[in-house]
C-alpha cells in the first residue's frame, strides 16, 4: 500500500469479474486474511466512485468494513474466488444520512 494518501490504491489480488449481484464485481484471486487492507481512496476525493468500476458491490452480509474514512479492509478471512462486498449504509460520514 502506498505511504501517500494522495492516490487511490487496490490490493494486487483484486480482479473485476462478472457478478451475480450487479453486472461487475470485485473479486479476490488469493485468500485474504482478516483485517487485510484491500482498497484505499485518495484523500483528495470524498467519493467512493473515484475508483471507477473497481469498487465492491453492496450487500448487507458484507466481508469488508471501513478502517477509517479512506480505507476498506476484510473483516473476516476471505477465500480466493470470493466477491468482495461492502454494506453501502456504512459508507457515509454524513450524520444526517
Amino acid at each position: 500500500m502506498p505511504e501517500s494518501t494522495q492516490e487511490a490504491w487496490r490490493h494486487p489480488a483484486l480482479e473485476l469479474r462478472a457478478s451475480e449481484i450487479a453486472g461487475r464485481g470485485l473479486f479476490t484471486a488469493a485468500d485474504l486474511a482478516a483485517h487485510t487492507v484491500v482498497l484505499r481512496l485518495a484523500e483528495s476525493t470524498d467519493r467512493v466512485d473515484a475508483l471507477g468500476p473497481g469498487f465492491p458491490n453492496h450487500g448487507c452480509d458484507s466481508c469488508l468494513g471501513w478502517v477509517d474514512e479512506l480505507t476498506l479492509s476484510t473483516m473476516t478471512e476471505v477465500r480466493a474466488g470470493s466477491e468482495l462486498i461492502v454494506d453501502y449504509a456504512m459508507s457515509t460520514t454524513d450524520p444526517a444520512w
Side-chain angles (χ1 to χ4, degrees), residues 1-2 7-12 14-15 26 32 36-42 48 51-57 64-74 84-86:
M1 186 169 68
E7 58 187 77
W9 176 85
R10 266 189 216 121
H11 191 284
L14 304 188
E15 303 175 338
L26 199 57
L32 299 173
T36 299
V37 173
V38 294
L39 290 172
R40 182 152 179 88
L41 300 174
V48 294
L51 286 170
F55 195 77
N57 282 321
L64 300 179
W66 290 98
V67 175
D68 57 38
E69 292 180 349
L70 300 174
T71 310
L72 274 171
S73 74
T74 57
L84 300 179
I85 300 166
V86 66

Side-chain angles (χ1 to χ4, degrees), residues 18-57:
S19 168
E20 292 182 9
I21 296 173
R24 290 184 291 182
L26 199 57
F27 291 77
T28 180
D31 290 343
L32 299 173
H35 312 292
T36 299
V37 173
V38 294
L39 290 172
R40 182 152 179 88
L41 300 174
E43 199 169 85
S44 60
T45 183
D46 62 353
R47 297 182 53 90
V48 294
D49 59 0
L51 286 170
F55 195 77
N57 282 321

